Amino acid sequence: MSDDDTPDDATETGCLDRTTMRTLGRRAETHPLVDSWRFEPDRLSPRSLVISLASTAYPHTVDSARIEVHWFVTGDYYVHYVEDLGTARFQCRWDRHPKTDAPKRYFHPPPDANGVELSSLGEHHLDVLFSVLDWVAERVERLHNESNSGA
């Protein structure tokens, strides 16, 4: 077993899939909204993949934005979108994992990631990544439209 395949974060959904997370980071980097990616706390002991989004793509009201990904060897995942707005935060999360009181794939809607809705995201890691990035692109466009209309 290589270092990349060594179990690192055993949970009920399995260990983190470092190889898939690295693939997600590298593929995310091809998207125009993505600035960079990194493992946190570091590449040797990753707990999450953090995809930093280009602050220049957002209106000035958004200080920073990122996507945090936890992808497990079981195919389960947590994908958390976060915008920092001064002291406020806008966030939502897509999940795929067994849960007794919700469907296996669900969405915690913005602005505070509370509540639970059925998620339309698929299971393949690249489908999930680019679906989330499409959602982010639509979010950025809405923010610019609101900013330009003075809303």
Side-chain angles (χ1 to χ4, degrees), residues 29-49:
E29 217 168 26
T30 67
H31 194 278
L33 285 175
V34 173
D35 190 36
S36 64
W37 66 275
R38 67 189 179 283
F39 284 122
E40 284 194 352
D42 59 48
R43 68 177 181 80
L44 298 176
S45 300
R47 296 285 179 247
S48 66
L49 167 69

Side-chain angles (χ1 to χ4, degrees), residues 43-141:
R43 68 177 181 80
L44 298 176
S45 300
R47 296 285 179 247
S48 66
L49 167 69
V50 177
I51 299 169
S52 298
L53 301 170
S55 60
T56 56
Y58 287 83
H60 70 280
T61 56
V62 177
D63 296 326
S64 64
R66 67 188 176 280
I67 300 169
E68 300 169 357
V69 180
H70 298 84
W71 199 279
F72 300 92
V73 295
T74 58
D76 292 336
Y77 58 78
Y78 303 90
V79 179
H80 188 195
Y81 172 75
V82 180
E83 288 173 14
D84 292 313
L85 314 154
T87 59
R89 177 177 273 186
F90 176 95
Q91 61 185 330
C92 60
R93 195 176 78 224
W94 295 263
D95 295 352
R96 181 184 186 275
H97 62 90
K99 188 171 172 95
T100 56
D101 59 345
K104 187 169 183 162
R105 287 186 314 211
Y106 56 96
F107 177 63
H108 296 282
D112 54 9
N114 281 332
V116 176
E117 300 173 2
L118 186 61
S119 171
S120 61
L121 291 186
E123 296 181 19
H124 190 273
H125 58 284
L126 294 176
D127 177 46
V128 169
L129 171 67
F130 286 104
S131 293
V132 169
L133 287 169
D134 287 347
W135 184 94
V136 171
E138 291 172 11
R139 166 77 180 153
V140 170
E141 185 177 338

Side-chain angles (χ1 to χ4, degrees), residues 20-34:
T20 296
M21 289 170 57
R22 182 177 293 107
T23 298
L24 290 170
R26 289 178 176 161
R27 291 299 304 272
E29 217 168 26
T30 67
H31 194 278
L33 285 175
V34 173

